[in-house]
Amino acid sequence: MPLYVMLSTSFKTADEIRAGNLLSLPAQLDLHAWSKAWSSACTGSTCDGMRGYFWNSVSFVVPSVLISTLMGAFNGYVLTMWRFRGSDTLFGLLMIGCFIPFQVVLLPMARTLGALGIASTTGGLIFVHVVYGLAFTTLFFRNYYVTIPDELVKAAKIDGAGFFLIFRRITLPLSVPIFVVSVIWQFTQVWNDFLFGVVFSSGERQPITVALNNLVNTSTGVKEYDVDMAAAIIAALPTLFVYVVAGKYFVRGLTAGAVKG
């Protein structure tokens, strides 16, 4: 119902919206709100268009998701197949990392970005999301890899396969379900993030969630609910598309790593 209201409102004229019938269908499809939402998102007193902020989000979401997923896969493999001293403690600390609120890491992360010289840059935002997402992806892959039969790994070792060869030729090909889970989870978290985006980016480098907030909270006269609804749908389309296309694989991946055997 909320999605229906958003869609119908985005296609209505201002007069139809002021009529007050929230659930009525638009008399005709008016694309003016969509065009204005795409081209008039505001940051402070500057309006440059949501289009630029949309591609800003794409530019850091894609590398953030890929890097954190690949690193999580390798971490999960190490913690599962290589039982070194302190591995259980390390895994416990990573699990604790899943429960650390965003707000707690703002100050230390800001200092780290400043020391690295990547504050308020796309690279800095990628770094933030990779670090924060690493605990989740490692947890996903570690819990999945414990379901891989030990005999499979032992047979590879007997055939002369080394640590990295087993990971590349055996473990990774078996990881497609959990890769899908990790990608969907990370994509949703990073794309929908507002706090990191507003704190660790500025100006034209800000993500679409910040642009949406600025658009909705910028008033230059009559409130344009049709534009706000169109902008909200534009911001939500990528995650909606991902879940529609790969949602069933998300459930399969979660259940595949639920039990061993």
Side-chain angles (χ1 to χ4, degrees), residues 55-68:
W55 294 115
N56 282 348
S57 289
V58 172
S59 68
F60 73 80
V61 168
V62 173
S64 297
V65 171
L66 292 179
I67 294 172
S68 61

Side-chain angles (χ1 to χ4, degrees), residues 232-243:
I233 295 173
I234 291 172
L237 277 177
T239 50
L240 182 62
F241 174 79
V242 167
Y243 270 105

Side-chain angles (χ1 to χ4, degrees), residues 76-112:
Y77 171 71
V78 170
L79 291 173
T80 305
M81 306 299 179
W82 186 22
R83 307 297 296 177
F84 57 90
R85 178 178 296 180
S87 59
D88 291 335
T89 302
L90 178 59
F91 180 64
L93 292 174
L94 286 170
M95 287 190 63
I96 293 174
C98 295
F99 302 98
I100 297 177
F102 282 20
Q103 295 83 351
V104 173
V105 303
L106 292 182
L107 182 57
M109 188 62 76
R111 289 187 172 185
T112 302

Side-chain angles (χ1 to χ4, degrees), residues 34 40 103 119 122 144 151 161 217 250 252-253:
W34 288 82
S40 62
Q103 295 83 351
T122 301
Y144 182 81
E151 293 78 10
N217 291 299
F250 183 79
R252 289 180 187 175

Side-chain angles (χ1 to χ4, degrees), residues 171-187:
T171 309
L172 279 182
L174 294 173
S175 305
V176 174
I178 202 64
F179 260 102
V180 174
V181 170
S182 180
V183 167
I184 293 177
W185 173 269
Q186 277 293 90
F187 184 90

Side-chain angles (χ1 to χ4, degrees), residues 35 71 74 77 94 111 130 138 193-194 234:
S35 176
M71 292 182 66
F74 186 74
Y77 171 71
L94 286 170
R111 289 187 172 185
V130 168
T138 300
D193 170 68
F194 173 79
I234 291 172

Side-chain angles (χ1 to χ4, degrees), residues 4 62 81 87 89 116 131 165 179 197 206 229 236 249 257:
Y4 165 76
V62 173
M81 306 299 179
S87 59
T89 302
L116 295 175
V131 170
L165 185 61
F179 260 102
Q206 291 179 322
M229 295 299 181
Y249 301 105

Side-chain angles (χ1 to χ4, degrees), residues 6 9 16 22 51 94 101 125 141 150 162 171 204 228 243:
M6 291 172 65
T9 302
E16 286 184 275
L22 195 66
R51 177 173 49 196
L94 286 170
L125 204 52
F141 281 96
D150 296 334
T171 309
E204 296 180 352
D228 293 347
Y243 270 105

